[in-house]
Each structure stands twice: as C-alpha cells, then as structure tokens.
Amino acid sequence: MMFSVDEIRKDFPILTREVYGKPLVYLDNAATTQKPQCVIDAISEEYCSVNANVHRGVHFLSQQATQLHEDAREVVRNFINARSTAEIVFTRGTTESLNLVASSFGEAFLKEGDEVIVSEMEHHSNIVPWQLLRDKKGIVLKVIPIDDCGRLKLEELEALLTPRTRLVSVAHVSNVLATVNPVKRIAEMVHAHGALLLVDGAQSVPHIKVDVQDLDCDFYVFSGHKVYGPTGVGVLYGKEALLDRMPPYQGGGEMIARVTFEKTTYERLPYKFEAGTPDYVGTHALAVALQYVSHIGMEAIAAHEHALTQLAMEQMRGIKGMQLYGETDDKGAVVAFNIEGIHHLDLGTLLDRLGIAIRTGHHCAQPLMQHYGVEGMARASFALYNTKAEVEALVAGIERVRRMF
Ligand code: 7TS
C-alpha cells in the first residue's frame, strides 16, 4: 500500500477539529494516539450487536464475543511474533503489565539481595513497581546510566551484571529522548549472566516492527492506547515456560480451574493471569488497530515518522536558545527540548493557544530530568498522521513564542 498521509488523516475524525478557532496540530502522541474510525466503529458495533460476557455463556452472543476476544489474542501474537497465544496476557496497559511482572515474578523468583537493573531513562512505571518490591523483599535496584546524547552506557551495564542479577528491565524506546535501545544486544548480555530481560515497549510498538522471538526478550509489555487502540487495554508477553512458573497476580473469576474452600487450582495460560471480566471490547478494538497499522505497514510508518523527526530536529536546531535532548541518529518520533529563558510550561501553554498540542513537564521520568538538571522539558511526539506542515507550524509557533520573551 502506498503511504499517503492525506489519505490516512481522513481515517481519524478528531484531526478535522479546531481548538481556539485554529486547526488542531496534535503532537502529543507519546502520551496517547488518536483513533481511526475503524477502531471507533469496532467499539460501537460490538456494543450494538454482540455484547456479552466472554468465556462463560453457552449462548450465541457470549460465544461470538469470546471468539472476537480470542481472535484478538491471535492478532496480538502475530503482531509481535510470539510463539503461542498462551504467551499473550491481556492487561489494562503497560503499567499493569509491569506491576504484574514485578509482583508475580518477584514472588516466585526474587529473594533478599537479588538484583533488578533498570535504566536512567525509564518511565516511572518501570521504576516504582521495583521500588515497591525493594521495600517488600529487600531486593537491590541498580541503574544503567546514560550519556548526554541519551544512549545507555552498555559497558556500565556489563559492570552492573553480577551472579545476583535476576532481571533487567528497560524501555525499548525512551518516551523523552526517543533513543532506540539495542535490546537484542542487551538480551545477549543479560542472558550470558543467567538473568532475564523485560522490555517496556510502550513507545516502540506504535513505531517500529517488533519481533519478540528475534529480540529474545523474556517479557515484553505495551499499551493499546498508544498504538491507535482504545484506553484500558494492554499486553504482557512472556515466554511460556516462565509464565508457567509464575503465580497468579490477582484472584477471581476466569483464572481458576477449580475452587473449593480447601484448595484452588488455576486455569492454564494465559487465563491464570486474567482474573475477572476482561475488557473484551477493548481487546477486539486493539486488534482492529493493530490490523490497521499492519495494513499500512510498520516500515512505511517508521520511515514517515523518521522523516518528520529529522525535519523537526533540523529546523529546531536553528532556533536561538534551543536545547535538544536525545541526539541519537536513529531516534524515534519524539523531540524533547527547552528554550533558554522560557519555562517549558509557558511554552506549552502559548503553543496551545495556536492550536498546537505538545506535552510539558517531567514526562513521568523524573530521574531523567535529574540527569539533565532540569525540572521539565517540552516534548513534541509524532504519529503516522502528522505532516511536514505540522512540523513547520510547530517550529513557527516556537519562534513566535520565543519573540514574546
Ligand atoms: N512506559 C513508557 C516508556 C511510557 O512512555 C509510558 C507512558 C508508560 C510506560 C506507561 O503507559 P500506560 O499506558 O500504562 O500509562 N508514557 C506517557 C508519556 O510519555 N506521556 O504520557 C504517558
């Protein structure tokens, strides 16, 4: 399929709206993406004509809803090339997937003094669950530092790995610097030390082709809403042998084989980790979103977004007082920056009045802000429907704001 951004934009109804009488320039895609009509329709059609609780009923609608939900699991499996649908656990999102692993893997495999390694560029959701575990179990949390360009210092990771290291948990792509971390290489390093690798794919799945078997990571997590799907649904991929050995995360319906007051046995994978009624409408709509981007082609999406990011970086470098963060060549679709003499919040607020939506603040990565010695940054993040004209509007908007100070 030919990549035509004009055609793609027609699929996203929200992109035609105006804010403050100006065309919306939506550049906060790392926070959440807008939804194509097919995803919106999938949600409304399922509620209009299928809705019934899954896995429970013998009746027609329940079976049809179950089919859609389980077909969605197969779509996710195929999208990230997992071996089996037993390895695809539906969750509420990246945050819940990370908490699930911290809680369940922590319970099964971590003892006092065992080490978990994260990186300096992690989102809080890949820091705090491990700190909670540290408080509970006395594990040791170590941190891979970054250089000022925003690259992980892999030689320092090598030095951090010890016989007590059980798990390394890192972002595939940073939500601030957009660094694409060499997770395949990291998996080799980590496995050579007998530890496991968890990859936070919240910012990679929407932008680059992911193959969990090729990466050979042990866990991979992502959120539906960042990849044009609905809010409230996400994925935990885990190698089957590993998930099999982990205890349930939550108890309730769906996750049991048999319950007596004396003893309860658990369902097979992946249901052991899916207590309660799942968001089966959300999983179906997520599958529709993944099919939508697959149809366009992840390579074409990556190329389009790379061109936008390069253009933004090039033009923004020319702005007086500009400080860019994250200067790796192959970076993803995010540009984080500050302008000397202008608070990032003022910049964001003034750009908003021009119809340009960017993010400001710490981006849930306060340790990263501490690395750069700032309280916050402005951040523009791109998606498949953004255009060169929007990048130019951003640059012109920043220039206009800058002249006001
Ligand atoms: N990990 C990374 C790398 C993220 O970017 C985010 C969300 C999360 C985890 C958490 O995802 P959730 O769907 O469970 O909330 N990042 C952002 C952001 O950059 N701006 O808003 C949310």
Side-chain angles (χ1 to χ4, degrees), residues 89-92 96 99-101 103-104 246-256 264 266-267 270-278:
V89 177
F90 284 122
T91 64
R92 283 195 302 117
E96 188 176 51
N99 278 278
L100 190 164
V101 177
S103 168
S104 171
M246 288 162 47
Y249 171 53
Q250 293 178 333
E254 303 265 334
M255 52 75 72
I256 52 87
T264 289
Y266 307 125
E267 254 290 22
Y271 309 106
K272 181 174 80 175
F273 293 109
E274 295 181 352
T277 299

PDB file of all heavy atoms in Angstrom, residues 89-92 96 99-101 103-104 246-256 264 266-267 270-278:
ATOM      1  N   VAL A  89      -0.877 -12.166  27.468  1.00  0.00           N
ATOM      2  CA  VAL A  89      -1.768 -11.858  28.593  1.00  0.00           C
ATOM      3  C   VAL A  89      -2.335 -10.461  28.360  1.00  0.00           C
ATOM      4  O   VAL A  89      -1.571  -9.510  28.144  1.00  0.00           O
ATOM      5  CB  VAL A  89      -0.998 -11.887  29.936  1.00  0.00           C
ATOM      6  CG1 VAL A  89      -1.919 -11.499  31.098  1.00  0.00           C
ATOM      7  CG2 VAL A  89      -0.361 -13.253  30.167  1.00  0.00           C
ATOM      8  N   PHE A  90      -3.662 -10.343  28.400  1.00  0.00           N
ATOM      9  CA  PHE A  90      -4.270  -9.017  28.306  1.00  0.00           C
ATOM     10  C   PHE A  90      -4.301  -8.362  29.687  1.00  0.00           C
ATOM     11  O   PHE A  90      -4.664  -9.005  30.681  1.00  0.00           O
ATOM     12  CB  PHE A  90      -5.691  -9.100  27.741  1.00  0.00           C
ATOM     13  CG  PHE A  90      -5.723  -9.339  26.253  1.00  0.00           C
ATOM     14  CD1 PHE A  90      -6.383 -10.438  25.722  1.00  0.00           C
ATOM     15  CD2 PHE A  90      -5.082  -8.467  25.385  1.00  0.00           C
ATOM     16  CE1 PHE A  90      -6.409 -10.654  24.344  1.00  0.00           C
ATOM     17  CE2 PHE A  90      -5.099  -8.676  24.006  1.00  0.00           C
ATOM     18  CZ  PHE A  90      -5.765  -9.771  23.488  1.00  0.00           C
ATOM     19  N   THR A  91      -3.902  -7.085  29.709  1.00  0.00           N
ATOM     20  CA  THR A  91      -3.882  -6.305  30.953  1.00  0.00           C
ATOM     21  C   THR A  91      -4.566  -4.968  30.686  1.00  0.00           C
ATOM     22  O   THR A  91      -5.076  -4.741  29.586  1.00  0.00           O
ATOM     23  CB  THR A  91      -2.426  -6.032  31.396  1.00  0.00           C
ATOM     24  OG1 THR A  91      -1.803  -5.206  30.392  1.00  0.00           O
ATOM     25  CG2 THR A  91      -1.630  -7.330  31.562  1.00  0.00           C
ATOM     26  N   ARG A  92      -4.481  -4.067  31.658  1.00  0.00           N
ATOM     27  CA  ARG A  92      -5.038  -2.718  31.457  1.00  0.00           C
ATOM     28  C   ARG A  92      -4.084  -1.819  30.683  1.00  0.00           C
ATOM     29  O   ARG A  92      -4.460  -0.757  30.221  1.00  0.00           O
ATOM     30  CB  ARG A  92      -5.333  -2.064  32.810  1.00  0.00           C
ATOM     31  CG  ARG A  92      -6.587  -2.574  33.472  1.00  0.00           C
ATOM     32  CD  ARG A  92      -7.034  -1.650  34.598  1.00  0.00           C
ATOM     33  NE  ARG A  92      -5.992  -1.494  35.587  1.00  0.00           N
ATOM     34  CZ  ARG A  92      -5.387  -0.341  35.882  1.00  0.00           C
ATOM     35  NH1 ARG A  92      -5.712   0.775  35.261  1.00  0.00           N
ATOM     36  NH2 ARG A  92      -4.448  -0.302  36.811  1.00  0.00           N
ATOM     37  N   GLU A  96       0.069  -1.823  34.195  1.00  0.00           N
ATOM     38  CA  GLU A  96      -0.387  -3.045  34.871  1.00  0.00           C
ATOM     39  C   GLU A  96       0.492  -4.236  34.500  1.00  0.00           C
ATOM     40  O   GLU A  96       0.790  -5.083  35.344  1.00  0.00           O
ATOM     41  CB  GLU A  96      -1.845  -3.363  34.564  1.00  0.00           C
ATOM     42  CG  GLU A  96      -2.325  -4.513  35.436  1.00  0.00           C
ATOM     43  CD  GLU A  96      -3.788  -4.860  35.284  1.00  0.00           C
ATOM     44  OE1 GLU A  96      -4.243  -5.055  34.142  1.00  0.00           O
ATOM     45  OE2 GLU A  96      -4.469  -4.955  36.320  1.00  0.00           O
ATOM     46  N   ASN A  99       3.528  -4.035  36.670  1.00  0.00           N
ATOM     47  CA  ASN A  99       3.216  -4.388  38.056  1.00  0.00           C
ATOM     48  C   ASN A  99       2.955  -5.885  38.206  1.00  0.00           C
ATOM     49  O   ASN A  99       3.308  -6.480  39.221  1.00  0.00           O
ATOM     50  CB  ASN A  99       2.016  -3.576  38.560  1.00  0.00           C
ATOM     51  CG  ASN A  99       2.440  -2.190  39.016  1.00  0.00           C
ATOM     52  OD1 ASN A  99       2.918  -2.007  40.129  1.00  0.00           O
ATOM     53  ND2 ASN A  99       2.317  -1.210  38.135  1.00  0.00           N
ATOM     54  N   LEU A 100       2.342  -6.460  37.168  1.00  0.00           N
ATOM     55  CA  LEU A 100       2.098  -7.905  37.203  1.00  0.00           C
ATOM     56  C   LEU A 100       3.425  -8.655  37.304  1.00  0.00           C
ATOM     57  O   LEU A 100       3.594  -9.540  38.146  1.00  0.00           O
ATOM     58  CB  LEU A 100       1.326  -8.320  35.942  1.00  0.00           C
ATOM     59  CG  LEU A 100       0.753  -9.728  35.853  1.00  0.00           C
ATOM     60  CD1 LEU A 100      -0.285  -9.806  34.731  1.00  0.00           C
ATOM     61  CD2 LEU A 100       1.761 -10.839  35.663  1.00  0.00           C
ATOM     62  N   VAL A 101       4.370  -8.294  36.456  1.00  0.00           N
ATOM     63  CA  VAL A 101       5.662  -8.995  36.473  1.00  0.00           C
ATOM     64  C   VAL A 101       6.380  -8.752  37.801  1.00  0.00           C
ATOM     65  O   VAL A 101       6.887  -9.693  38.424  1.00  0.00           O
ATOM     66  CB  VAL A 101       6.560  -8.573  35.285  1.00  0.00           C
ATOM     67  CG1 VAL A 101       7.924  -9.254  35.374  1.00  0.00           C
ATOM     68  CG2 VAL A 101       5.890  -8.924  33.960  1.00  0.00           C
ATOM     69  N   SER A 103       5.180  -8.091  40.652  1.00  0.00           N
ATOM     70  CA  SER A 103       4.522  -8.795  41.742  1.00  0.00           C
ATOM     71  C   SER A 103       4.695 -10.316  41.627  1.00  0.00           C
ATOM     72  O   SER A 103       5.134 -10.973  42.571  1.00  0.00           O
ATOM     73  CB  SER A 103       3.036  -8.401  41.734  1.00  0.00           C
ATOM     74  OG  SER A 103       2.317  -9.240  42.568  1.00  0.00           O
ATOM     75  N   SER A 104       4.379 -10.860  40.458  1.00  0.00           N
ATOM     76  CA  SER A 104       4.349 -12.314  40.314  1.00  0.00           C
ATOM     77  C   SER A 104       5.754 -12.908  40.147  1.00  0.00           C
ATOM     78  O   SER A 104       6.109 -13.876  40.819  1.00  0.00           O
ATOM     79  CB  SER A 104       3.460 -12.671  39.111  1.00  0.00           C
ATOM     80  OG  SER A 104       3.580 -14.028  38.813  1.00  0.00           O
ATOM     81  N   MET A 246       5.182 -18.807  37.139  1.00  0.00           N
ATOM     82  CA  MET A 246       4.843 -17.642  37.979  1.00  0.00           C
ATOM     83  C   MET A 246       3.451 -17.794  38.595  1.00  0.00           C
ATOM     84  O   MET A 246       2.540 -18.292  37.949  1.00  0.00           O
ATOM     85  CB  MET A 246       4.922 -16.357  37.129  1.00  0.00           C
ATOM     86  CG  MET A 246       6.366 -15.973  36.803  1.00  0.00           C
ATOM     87  SD  MET A 246       6.568 -14.811  35.422  1.00  0.00           S
ATOM     88  CE  MET A 246       5.368 -13.541  35.766  1.00  0.00           C
ATOM     89  N   PRO A 247       3.282 -17.344  39.848  1.00  0.00           N
ATOM     90  CA  PRO A 247       1.954 -17.443  40.485  1.00  0.00           C
ATOM     91  C   PRO A 247       0.994 -16.398  39.927  1.00  0.00           C
ATOM     92  O   PRO A 247       1.426 -15.410  39.343  1.00  0.00           O
ATOM     93  CB  PRO A 247       2.275 -17.162  41.959  1.00  0.00           C
ATOM     94  CG  PRO A 247       3.496 -16.314  41.938  1.00  0.00           C
ATOM     95  CD  PRO A 247       4.292 -16.748  40.740  1.00  0.00           C
ATOM     96  N   PRO A 248      -0.319 -16.589  40.127  1.00  0.00           N
ATOM     97  CA  PRO A 248      -1.288 -15.591  39.673  1.00  0.00           C
ATOM     98  C   PRO A 248      -1.004 -14.224  40.293  1.00  0.00           C
ATOM     99  O   PRO A 248      -0.420 -14.135  41.366  1.00  0.00           O
ATOM    100  CB  PRO A 248      -2.619 -16.122  40.191  1.00  0.00           C
ATOM    101  CG  PRO A 248      -2.401 -17.558  40.457  1.00  0.00           C
ATOM    102  CD  PRO A 248      -0.960 -17.720  40.802  1.00  0.00           C
ATOM    103  N   TYR A 249      -1.443 -13.190  39.585  1.00  0.00           N
ATOM    104  CA  TYR A 249      -1.258 -11.805  40.044  1.00  0.00           C
ATOM    105  C   TYR A 249      -2.475 -11.386  40.874  1.00  0.00           C
ATOM    106  O   TYR A 249      -2.349 -10.826  41.945  1.00  0.00           O
ATOM    107  CB  TYR A 249      -1.099 -10.930  38.810  1.00  0.00           C
ATOM    108  CG  TYR A 249      -1.100  -9.442  39.024  1.00  0.00           C
ATOM    109  CD1 TYR A 249      -0.252  -8.843  39.942  1.00  0.00           C
ATOM    110  CD2 TYR A 249      -1.939  -8.628  38.260  1.00  0.00           C
ATOM    111  CE1 TYR A 249      -0.242  -7.461  40.101  1.00  0.00           C
ATOM    112  CE2 TYR A 249      -1.931  -7.253  38.410  1.00  0.00           C
ATOM    113  CZ  TYR A 249      -1.084  -6.669  39.333  1.00  0.00           C
ATOM    114  OH  TYR A 249      -1.075  -5.304  39.485  1.00  0.00           O
ATOM    115  N   GLN A 250      -3.659 -11.685  40.342  1.00  0.00           N
ATOM    116  CA  GLN A 250      -4.884 -11.389  41.076  1.00  0.00           C
ATOM    117  C   GLN A 250      -5.761 -12.643  41.060  1.00  0.00           C
ATOM    118  O   GLN A 250      -5.654 -13.460  40.141  1.00  0.00           O
ATOM    119  CB  GLN A 250      -5.650 -10.246  40.403  1.00  0.00           C
ATOM    120  CG  GLN A 250      -4.916  -8.929  40.486  1.00  0.00           C
ATOM    121  CD  GLN A 250      -5.656  -7.809  39.773  1.00  0.00           C
ATOM    122  OE1 GLN A 250      -6.411  -8.033  38.827  1.00  0.00           O
ATOM    123  NE2 GLN A 250      -5.436  -6.587  40.218  1.00  0.00           N
ATOM    124  N   GLY A 251      -6.601 -12.762  42.073  1.00  0.00           N
ATOM    125  CA  GLY A 251      -7.505 -13.913  42.132  1.00  0.00           C
ATOM    126  C   GLY A 251      -8.914 -13.497  41.782  1.00  0.00           C
ATOM    127  O   GLY A 251      -9.292 -12.342  41.950  1.00  0.00           O
ATOM    128  N   GLY A 252      -9.706 -14.447  41.287  1.00  0.00           N
ATOM    129  CA  GLY A 252     -11.100 -14.150  40.965  1.00  0.00           C
ATOM    130  C   GLY A 252     -11.619 -15.113  39.929  1.00  0.00           C
ATOM    131  O   GLY A 252     -11.053 -16.204  39.748  1.00  0.00           O
ATOM    132  N   GLY A 253     -12.678 -14.673  39.235  1.00  0.00           N
ATOM    133  CA  GLY A 253     -13.230 -15.490  38.161  1.00  0.00           C
ATOM    134  C   GLY A 253     -12.254 -15.556  37.004  1.00  0.00           C
ATOM    135  O   GLY A 253     -11.274 -14.802  36.957  1.00  0.00           O
ATOM    136  N   GLU A 254     -12.498 -16.454  36.087  1.00  0.00           N
ATOM    137  CA  GLU A 254     -11.721 -16.614  34.838  1.00  0.00           C
ATOM    138  C   GLU A 254     -10.358 -17.266  35.035  1.00  0.00           C
ATOM    139  O   GLU A 254      -9.850 -17.906  34.129  1.00  0.00           O
ATOM    140  CB  GLU A 254     -11.474 -15.267  34.118  1.00  0.00           C
ATOM    141  CG  GLU A 254     -12.719 -14.499  33.770  1.00  0.00           C
ATOM    142  CD  GLU A 254     -13.200 -14.760  32.370  1.00  0.00           C
ATOM    143  OE1 GLU A 254     -12.397 -15.110  31.510  1.00  0.00           O
ATOM    144  OE2 GLU A 254     -14.409 -14.635  32.150  1.00  0.00           O
ATOM    145  N   MET A 255      -9.726 -17.058  36.202  1.00  0.00           N
ATOM    146  CA  MET A 255      -8.336 -17.517  36.338  1.00  0.00           C
ATOM    147  C   MET A 255      -8.246 -18.856  37.069  1.00  0.00           C
ATOM    148  O   MET A 255      -7.162 -19.347  37.308  1.00  0.00           O
ATOM    149  CB  MET A 255      -7.456 -16.465  37.026  1.00  0.00           C
ATOM    150  CG  MET A 255      -7.919 -15.895  38.345  1.00  0.00           C
ATOM    151  SD  MET A 255      -7.745 -16.966  39.769  1.00  0.00           S
ATOM    152  CE  MET A 255      -5.982 -16.945  39.976  1.00  0.00           C
ATOM    153  N   ILE A 256      -9.392 -19.456  37.400  1.00  0.00           N
ATOM    154  CA  ILE A 256      -9.360 -20.693  38.189  1.00  0.00           C
ATOM    155  C   ILE A 256      -9.744 -21.916  37.354  1.00  0.00           C
ATOM    156  O   ILE A 256     -10.450 -21.801  36.357  1.00  0.00           O
ATOM    157  CB  ILE A 256     -10.318 -20.600  39.399  1.00  0.00           C
ATOM    158  CG1 ILE A 256     -11.726 -20.184  38.951  1.00  0.00           C
ATOM    159  CG2 ILE A 256      -9.768 -19.653  40.442  1.00  0.00           C
ATOM    160  CD1 ILE A 256     -12.637 -21.271  38.532  1.00  0.00           C
ATOM    161  N   THR A 264      -7.579 -24.207  45.759  1.00  0.00           N
ATOM    162  CA  THR A 264      -7.994 -23.763  44.429  1.00  0.00           C
ATOM    163  C   THR A 264      -6.885 -24.068  43.431  1.00  0.00           C
ATOM    164  O   THR A 264      -5.712 -23.876  43.725  1.00  0.00           O
ATOM    165  CB  THR A 264      -8.300 -22.249  44.448  1.00  0.00           C
ATOM    166  OG1 THR A 264      -9.515 -22.062  45.176  1.00  0.00           O
ATOM    167  CG2 THR A 264      -8.457 -21.668  43.072  1.00  0.00           C
ATOM    168  N   TYR A 266      -5.510 -23.421  39.363  1.00  0.00           N
ATOM    169  CA  TYR A 266      -5.607 -22.298  38.429  1.00  0.00           C
ATOM    170  C   TYR A 266      -5.771 -22.760  36.990  1.00  0.00           C
ATOM    171  O   TYR A 266      -5.336 -23.845  36.609  1.00  0.00           O
ATOM    172  CB  TYR A 266      -4.366 -21.406  38.562  1.00  0.00           C
ATOM    173  CG  TYR A 266      -4.140 -20.981  39.995  1.00  0.00           C
ATOM    174  CD1 TYR A 266      -2.932 -21.222  40.632  1.00  0.00           C
ATOM    175  CD2 TYR A 266      -5.174 -20.381  40.711  1.00  0.00           C
ATOM    176  CE1 TYR A 266      -2.749 -20.857  41.952  1.00  0.00           C
ATOM    177  CE2 TYR A 266      -5.004 -20.016  42.029  1.00  0.00           C
ATOM    178  CZ  TYR A 266      -3.788 -20.261  42.653  1.00  0.00           C
ATOM    179  OH  TYR A 266      -3.616 -19.924  43.949  1.00  0.00           O
ATOM    180  N   GLU A 267      -6.331 -21.867  36.221  1.00  0.00           N
ATOM    181  CA  GLU A 267      -6.507 -22.082  34.779  1.00  0.00           C
ATOM    182  C   GLU A 267      -5.151 -22.169  34.098  1.00  0.00           C
ATOM    183  O   GLU A 267      -4.142 -21.721  34.631  1.00  0.00           O
ATOM    184  CB  GLU A 267      -7.272 -20.888  34.185  1.00  0.00           C
ATOM    185  CG  GLU A 267      -8.694 -21.165  33.823  1.00  0.00           C
ATOM    186  CD  GLU A 267      -8.849 -22.095  32.619  1.00  0.00           C
ATOM    187  OE1 GLU A 267      -7.922 -22.876  32.275  1.00  0.00           O
ATOM    188  OE2 GLU A 267      -9.928 -22.068  32.031  1.00  0.00           O
ATOM    189  N   PRO A 270      -3.162 -18.270  28.962  1.00  0.00           N
ATOM    190  CA  PRO A 270      -2.777 -17.077  29.718  1.00  0.00           C
ATOM    191  C   PRO A 270      -3.797 -16.696  30.795  1.00  0.00           C
ATOM    192  O   PRO A 270      -3.622 -15.712  31.508  1.00  0.00           O
ATOM    193  CB  PRO A 270      -2.752 -16.000  28.627  1.00  0.00           C
ATOM    194  CG  PRO A 270      -3.845 -16.424  27.685  1.00  0.00           C
ATOM    195  CD  PRO A 270      -3.854 -17.926  27.701  1.00  0.00           C
ATOM    196  N   TYR A 271      -4.886 -17.520  30.911  1.00  0.00           N
ATOM    197  CA  TYR A 271      -6.034 -17.116  31.750  1.00  0.00           C
ATOM    198  C   TYR A 271      -5.674 -17.009  33.232  1.00  0.00           C
ATOM    199  O   TYR A 271      -6.308 -16.264  33.970  1.00  0.00           O
ATOM    200  CB  TYR A 271      -7.204 -18.089  31.529  1.00  0.00           C
ATOM    201  CG  TYR A 271      -7.487 -18.254  30.061  1.00  0.00           C
ATOM    202  CD1 TYR A 271      -7.134 -19.422  29.384  1.00  0.00           C
ATOM    203  CD2 TYR A 271      -8.032 -17.196  29.336  1.00  0.00           C
ATOM    204  CE1 TYR A 271      -7.339 -19.537  28.026  1.00  0.00           C
ATOM    205  CE2 TYR A 271      -8.236 -17.304  27.972  1.00  0.00           C
ATOM    206  CZ  TYR A 271      -7.885 -18.479  27.318  1.00  0.00           C
ATOM    207  OH  TYR A 271      -8.075 -18.578  25.977  1.00  0.00           O
ATOM    208  N   LYS A 272      -4.633 -17.753  33.629  1.00  0.00           N
ATOM    209  CA  LYS A 272      -4.185 -17.689  35.028  1.00  0.00           C
ATOM    210  C   LYS A 272      -3.915 -16.247  35.465  1.00  0.00           C
ATOM    211  O   LYS A 272      -4.050 -15.905  36.641  1.00  0.00           O
ATOM    212  CB  LYS A 272      -2.900 -18.536  35.142  1.00  0.00           C
ATOM    213  CG  LYS A 272      -2.302 -18.606  36.513  1.00  0.00           C
ATOM    214  CD  LYS A 272      -1.122 -19.571  36.573  1.00  0.00           C
ATOM    215  CE  LYS A 272       0.142 -18.935  36.042  1.00  0.00           C
ATOM    216  NZ  LYS A 272       1.329 -19.822  36.201  1.00  0.00           N
ATOM    217  N   PHE A 273      -3.533 -15.414  34.489  1.00  0.00           N
ATOM    218  CA  PHE A 273      -3.204 -14.017  34.817  1.00  0.00           C
ATOM    219  C   PHE A 273      -4.328 -13.032  34.476  1.00  0.00           C
ATOM    220  O   PHE A 273      -4.118 -11.828  34.479  1.00  0.00           O
ATOM    221  CB  PHE A 273      -1.927 -13.600  34.081  1.00  0.00           C
ATOM    222  CG  PHE A 273      -0.706 -14.325  34.578  1.00  0.00           C
ATOM    223  CD1 PHE A 273      -0.084 -15.277  33.804  1.00  0.00           C
ATOM    224  CD2 PHE A 273      -0.200 -14.052  35.844  1.00  0.00           C
ATOM    225  CE1 PHE A 273       1.040 -15.948  34.264  1.00  0.00           C
ATOM    226  CE2 PHE A 273       0.917 -14.719  36.326  1.00  0.00           C
ATOM    227  CZ  PHE A 273       1.545 -15.668  35.537  1.00  0.00           C
ATOM    228  N   GLU A 274      -5.500 -13.561  34.140  1.00  0.00           N
ATOM    229  CA  GLU A 274      -6.583 -12.658  33.703  1.00  0.00           C
ATOM    230  C   GLU A 274      -7.822 -12.812  34.587  1.00  0.00           C
ATOM    231  O   GLU A 274      -8.887 -13.241  34.133  1.00  0.00           O
ATOM    232  CB  GLU A 274      -6.916 -12.923  32.230  1.00  0.00           C
ATOM    233  CG  GLU A 274      -5.757 -12.569  31.301  1.00  0.00           C
ATOM    234  CD  GLU A 274      -6.070 -12.795  29.829  1.00  0.00           C
ATOM    235  OE1 GLU A 274      -7.127 -13.373  29.506  1.00  0.00           O
ATOM    236  OE2 GLU A 274      -5.237 -12.390  29.000  1.00  0.00           O
ATOM    237  N   ALA A 275      -7.677 -12.431  35.849  1.00  0.00           N
ATOM    238  CA  ALA A 275      -8.809 -12.532  36.780  1.00  0.00           C
ATOM    239  C   ALA A 275      -9.886 -11.513  36.420  1.00  0.00           C
ATOM    240  O   ALA A 275      -9.582 -10.375  36.076  1.00  0.00           O
ATOM    241  CB  ALA A 275      -8.313 -12.294  38.205  1.00  0.00           C
ATOM    242  N   GLY A 276     -11.125 -11.945  36.509  1.00  0.00           N
ATOM    243  CA  GLY A 276     -12.252 -11.027  36.301  1.00  0.00           C
ATOM    244  C   GLY A 276     -12.626 -10.873  34.834  1.00  0.00           C
ATOM    245  O   GLY A 276     -11.946 -11.387  33.939  1.00  0.00           O
ATOM    246  N   THR A 277     -13.701 -10.152  34.604  1.00  0.00           N
ATOM    247  CA  THR A 277     -14.150  -9.920  33.223  1.00  0.00           C
ATOM    248  C   THR A 277     -13.126  -9.056  32.505  1.00  0.00           C
ATOM    249  O   THR A 277     -12.827  -7.953  32.963  1.00  0.00           O
ATOM    250  CB  THR A 277     -15.519  -9.195  33.227  1.00  0.00           C
ATOM    251  OG1 THR A 277     -16.479 -10.037  33.885  1.00  0.00           O
ATOM    252  CG2 THR A 277     -15.991  -8.892  31.823  1.00  0.00           C
ATOM    253  N   PRO A 278     -12.579  -9.554  31.420  1.00  0.00           N
ATOM    254  CA  PRO A 278     -11.600  -8.733  30.695  1.00  0.00           C
ATOM    255  C   PRO A 278     -12.292  -7.633  29.893  1.00  0.00           C
ATOM    256  O   PRO A 278     -13.503  -7.693  29.691  1.00  0.00           O
ATOM    257  CB  PRO A 278     -10.933  -9.748  29.761  1.00  0.00           C
ATOM    258  CG  PRO A 278     -11.976 -10.786  29.519  1.00  0.00           C
ATOM    259  CD  PRO A 278     -12.817 -10.855  30.766  1.00  0.00           C
TER     260      PRO A 278
END
